[in-house]
Amino acid sequence: MAQTKIIIVGGVAGGASAAARARRLSEDAQIIMFERGEFVSFANCGLPYHIGGDITDRSKLLLQTPASFLTRFNVDVRVMSDVIAINRDAKTVTVTNLLDGTSYEETYDVLLLSPGAAPVIPPIAGIDNPLTHSLRNIPDMDRILATLDAHQPAHATVVGGGFIGLEMMEAFHQRGITTTLIEMADQVMTPVDREMAGFVHDTIREKGIDLRLGVALDAVHPHENAQGLTLTLNNGDTLETGILIMAVGVRPETSLAENAGLKLGPQGGIWVNAQMQTSDPSIYAVGDAVEDMDFVTGQSTFVPLAGPANRQGRMAADNMLGRNESYQGTQGTAICKVFDLAVASTGQNEKQLKRDGVRYEKVFVHTASHASYYPGAEVVSFKLLFDPETGKIFGAQAVGKDGVDKRIDIMAVAQRAGMTVEQLQHLELTYAPPFGSAKDVINQAAFVASNIMKGDATPIHFDEIDHLTDNQLLLDVRNPGELKQGYLAGAINIPVDQLRQRMNELPKDKEIVIYCQVGLRGNVAYRQLVNNGYKARNLIGGYKTYQAATR
């Protein structure tokens, strides 16, 4: 068998995974990896944590070096080498050595593109200045640290409330720097829905962060001698700051593929099939630059995450060496640490389902991460989205201080396995008081969802509460002492344990809209009322969900 020559453009997650996998499959293949930067395999997800001081040793971020790649995998890694063109007919790439400016051609049998995605820097006046940074790689991190050391800013501003923005906000806070976070949307962390992000907003504000939602950066005015910046926002406010981080999102690096005539997808990323082949069967592409299939909808999507990139790199290597592996789609399973809170999601969110006109139902539960009587239990706020006819799982979201990763990981597996909400009721998960509950968060959400599907519960949601009619009556079934924490205007208060004795105080010609703190007592009250001939609905997720969504 003739020796296969594999060229890989870009290291980090996808490219490095492909190189290592290709060598494990074939000792004979010639493998050359080009990386335009100085570092070939580094933990880019760890960069904010080094800035914040959680990861103290910078060298821990460097996973492989060119020398270690050569020693362990016999891969010829060429850093500071920019692949500037692909000649598909001749099967060559043109490479510029960034150290001396020379260029040369390199042939390939198969080519893998893993160029990643670049930070989006909007065309804002004054944005190009030495105190404004983005964060994609080790040199970016080093530049941010150098600015912090040289200027010792008292105030930092982060624009963008996604993963990098939230992590940089926390890093500055840990360094004792007063921080403002600006987000153009009405929420941070857009993979989750607004009411789930509400818990994150509370935590951010509790930590003293100046959180500004629904506003955008309009202009940057650098001071003389790079001593600071004046920021103008689109609502007319101004802000004095010492360092500015732009973290408004990323866009796929597609220029190399586009110039070579490779097909792009509807989202602007490189088009690939399930085998990670581009429109040229000799060229593969993986990672943040490609569009892949959304696991739930089957539509093309752009989800720049490290897990999919690693798996795609492995599969592309298999296929470049004659195997037939298919990528099974991306769920977008993700988690972010925001101080002592975790926020995570998998699958589709409600915004996406609404946009696509999909019929869905949702449930919320707020329950303990482990047995509530064992010390250290924390509330997990959990949202489940599903098809009310078939029980198909569309997505799940969770926020809390403990056990959030466990629940979303379980949901990601359940969704990929094709389980329904009815089947989630039967999940048998580990239980001992320090670790879980006899009825886990997921079991409880599944019970609520199944009740709705069977007609044992009629839901009402937080976004309907402010639009009740004269034919509806609000009933608060919490204990009177709980009303000090807030209540819905116009509600009658009858505690659930008094409801049987006081039911005749309620009119039978109106629909009774019941709520409690999290929805559990509301369901007990709902069953009592409907079993006695009343028409009723229960607020799913209770007052806690309404509060998080509306404050």
Side-chain angles (χ1 to χ4, degrees), residues 388-400:
E389 295 296 321
T390 66
K392 176 183 176 178
I393 299 164
F394 288 140
Q397 302 165 28
V399 182

Side-chain angles (χ1 to χ4, degrees), residues 444-464:
Q444 293 200 39
F447 294 152
V448 179
S450 295
N451 281 343
I452 292 171
M453 289 181 68
K454 291 172 185 169
D456 292 338
T458 306
I460 191 167
H461 291 295
F462 66 84
D463 47 3
E464 301 171 79

Side-chain angles (χ1 to χ4, degrees), residues 121-128 159 216-220 232 246:
I121 306 296
I124 293 170
I127 197 87
D128 189 10
V159 178
L217 180 62
D218 219 27
V220 180
T232 305
M246 296 301 296

Side-chain angles (χ1 to χ4, degrees), residues 214-246:
V215 291
L217 180 62
D218 219 27
V220 180
H221 309 279
H223 300 177
E224 286 185 22
N225 304 320
Q227 290 307 303
L229 305 168
T230 300
L231 309 180
T232 305
L233 308 183
N234 68 347
N235 63 357
D237 289 352
T238 59
L239 195 61
E240 299 297 321
T241 198
I243 184 171
L244 174 62
I245 303 294
M246 296 301 296

Side-chain angles (χ1 to χ4, degrees), residues 14-34:
S17 295
R21 174 66 173 172
R23 177 57 72 219
R24 290 196 297 272
L25 293 178
S26 168
E27 197 59 34
D28 299 325
Q30 183 185 0
I31 307 171
I32 304 173
M33 183 157 60
F34 294 107

